[in-house]
């Protein structure tokens, strides 16, 4: 099970990132759970300075941008 | 990211200091904190880059501007960033500003001077807390190789 975490307070970019991440996971056919981390203290516990952030199994993979579906697929593999 | 607002609009400046054990390392640290207090940039954790903390490395990569203040020519901070493949940052060295390692007490004047130098290099205005305009450094403002500690 891959845990995909979307780090952001809920702005449009965060929502777009969640959409892209979900599409990427589905296209890869992996077993996953998508978790939206919206609490600022929890977000800060990842050490990031910008949102949105994308973490996979607790490791931050991208910060401050919305990667494309194809880019996220690479990050999930 | 000190507040609960959305921080996805860009314009992020991160400030690192070597924070080394020598006096010039302390000056770098306190100058970086001064820049943070004055909203020139957010001081960030060099140890996190060295330790490859993913959130810190990725945030540094994504920052619009990174300022690295080293105390001496060993350039531990610059090397740490480069080892993590961080490129394109602005680098300052306290000893290049006329301060001598081991003979530069970290006074408010020296710290102010280094902070002003950082602001000059990146083209920012260093406001003093409570001041209505740009800070007037008590020591001469240093730019590039110009000495403000000698």
């Amino acid at each position: 099970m891959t845990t995909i975490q979307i780090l952001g307070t809920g702005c449009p970019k965060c929502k777009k990132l969640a959409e892209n991440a979900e599409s990427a996971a589905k296209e890869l056919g992996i077993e996953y759970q998508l978790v939206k981390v919206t609490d600022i203290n929890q977000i800060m516990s990842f050490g990031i300075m910008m949102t949105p952030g994308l973490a996979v199994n607790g490791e931050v993979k991208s910060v401050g941008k919305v990667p494309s579906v194809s880019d996220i697929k690479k990050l999930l593999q | 990211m000190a507040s609960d607002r959305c921080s996805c609009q860009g314009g992020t400046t991160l400030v690192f200091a070597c924070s080394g054990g020598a006096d010039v390392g302390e000056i770098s640290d306190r100058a970086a904190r001064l820049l943070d207090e004055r909203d020139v940039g957010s001081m960030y954790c060099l140890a996190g880059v060295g330790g490859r903390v993913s959130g810190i490395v990725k945030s540094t990569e994504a920052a619009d501007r990174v300022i690295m203040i080293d105390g001496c020519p060993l350039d531990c901070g610059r090397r740490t960033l480069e080892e993590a493949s961080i490129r394109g940052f602005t680098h300052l060295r306290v000893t290049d500003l006329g301060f001598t390692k081991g003979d530069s007490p970290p006074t408010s004047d020296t710290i102010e001077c280094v902070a002003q130098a950082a602001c000059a290099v990146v083209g920012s205005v260093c406001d003093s807390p409570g001041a209505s305009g740009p800070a007037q450094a008590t020591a001469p403002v240093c730019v590039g190789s110009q000495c403000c500690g000698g």
Side-chain angles (χ1 to χ4, degrees):
Chain A
M1 170 75 79
T2 300
T3 300
I4 302 169
Q5 292 161 301
I6 307 298
L7 314 176
T9 51
C11 68
K13 285 185 179 179
C14 305
K15 291 173 182 167
K16 181 64 178 168
L17 177 60
E19 288 174 15
N20 286 2
E22 190 135 40
S23 297
K26 284 179 178 169
E27 286 183 22
L28 287 173
I30 60 173
E31 192 179 351
Y32 72 96
Q33 62 168 345
L34 187 79
V35 180
K36 294 178 182 176
V37 181
T38 57
D39 176 74
I40 194 70
N41 292 319
Q42 272 191 281
I43 293 170
M44 290 180 73
S45 73
F46 284 83
I48 69 171
M49 288 293 278
M50 291 146 269
T51 56
L54 171 69
V56 179
N57 293 329
E59 183 174 346
V60 178
K61 298 290 188 180
S62 106
V63 167
K65 60 185 177 184
V66 180
S68 65
V69 173
S70 60
D71 285 342
I72 295 174
K73 284 167 75 174
K74 292 173 190 165
L75 297 174
L76 291 173
Q77 287 172 328
Chain B
M1 199 165 68
S3 68
D4 61 356
R5 64 185 165 77
C6 173
S7 46
C8 59
Q9 300 305 314
T12 306
T13 296
L14 299 179
V15 184
F16 290 94
C18 76
S19 305
D23 49 7
V24 288
E26 181 175 346
I27 291 170
S28 77
D29 182 276
R30 292 173 63 181
R33 292 178 192 280
L34 198 56
L35 294 171
D36 188 309
E37 287 171 16
R38 294 178 181 176
D39 292 328
V40 175
S42 298
M43 188 177 181
Y44 211 27
C45 307
L46 187 65
V49 176
R52 301 294 190 273
V53 176
S54 60
I56 292 178
V57 173
K58 291 297 177 187
S59 292
T60 307
E61 289 174 356
D64 293 303
R65 186 163 59 190
V66 174
I67 302 170
M68 177 69 237
I69 307 175
D70 268 309
C72 74
L74 293 176
D75 286 349
C76 302
R78 176 181 64 78
R79 290 166 188 262
T80 300
L81 293 181
E82 288 176 350
E83 284 289 321
S85 300
I86 307 294
R87 299 284 185 267
F89 53 87
T90 299
H91 184 239
L92 273 87
R93 194 183 291 135
V94 174
T95 53
D96 283 353
L97 301 172
F99 299 104
T100 303
K101 187 175 183 177
D103 192 26
S104 298
T107 65
S108 57
D109 281 355
T110 57
I111 293 157
E112 176 72 39
C113 183
V114 174
Q116 290 287 338
C119 287
V121 167
V122 298
S124 289
V125 175
C126 260
D127 287 337
S128 290
S132 56
Q136 296 298 312
T138 50
V141 173
C142 16
V143 179
S145 62
Q146 294 298 307
C147 165
C148 62

